[in-house]
Amino acid sequence: MKIEDQVITIAQGKQLQELGITAVAHFAHVLICPDPIGNDWYYDIIDRHHPMADKCEMICMAYTVAELGMMLPKEIDHTFNEHSSYYIMMGNSETDNGHKPTIWYEDNDLYPPDEIMEMRYISGDTEAEARAAMLIHLLENKLITADEINARL
């Protein structure tokens, strides 16, 4: 599997950075310019410990599926009443283009039993994109803080 399919996009990395995510990832989206004139530059994903890493211009972190799994909460505090909790789950949803990685959370109210108060589905072209989109949604809707996420990784 290509590394591009295992990490978030540049746009998502920039958005997470703007939302206060400072946790250090194993990989980074970088701009590489091997030519001193600057004509042959290109974007790449590089291991931050690679000997060439300090010669590249870092754009943003490229969080992996595993890192995003650590960053996502297993539960989110209840919002409707003392009986409700958010649970985050991962699966696939069928679209016109086949199955896409999908992440969702649901607010299960334990009384009356099994009543679902709210459900949110977020998909991506890759599992990493779906997980990053959920983190962005949780941050933008103030269901989790950047400090909580940064502390997990």
Side-chain angles (χ1 to χ4, degrees), residues 14-129:
K14 287 180 176 180
Q15 194 170 7
L16 285 169
Q17 197 171 305
E18 289 168 5
L19 291 167
I21 302 305
T22 58
V24 178
H26 187 79
F27 293 97
H29 287 285
V30 296
L31 180 64
I32 298 175
C33 186
D35 168 0
I37 299 172
N39 292 332
D40 295 329
W41 61 271
Y42 59 94
Y43 293 103
D44 204 355
I45 298 165
I46 192 167
D47 181 326
R48 290 188 37 265
H49 304 289
H50 189 279
M52 287 291 297
D54 61 342
K55 295 174 177 58
C56 302
E57 181 182 335
M58 191 175 94
I59 299 167
C60 61
M61 294 294 167
Y63 298 108
T64 64
V65 169
E67 290 167 333
L68 293 162
M70 292 172 54
M71 296 163 85
L72 279 166
K74 290 182 179 25
E75 284 189 20
I76 304 167
D77 290 338
H78 57 80
T79 56
F80 293 108
N81 60 51
E82 70 276 4
H83 300 292
S84 64
S85 292
Y86 279 102
Y87 298 93
I88 293 184
M89 294 159 272
M90 189 79 202
N92 284 314
S93 64
E94 194 165 334
T95 67
D96 293 338
N97 299 326
H99 290 278
K100 282 189 138 188
T102 302
I103 190 166
W104 69 92
Y105 65 83
E106 60 185 43
D107 185 3
N108 285 323
D109 190 347
L110 302 178
Y111 186 83
D114 300 325
E115 180 181 349
I116 295 177
M117 308 280 291
E118 180 181 1
M119 192 171 252
R120 168 74 68 173
Y121 291 89
I122 297 178
S123 295
D125 289 333
T126 66
E127 184 175 341
E129 289 179 28

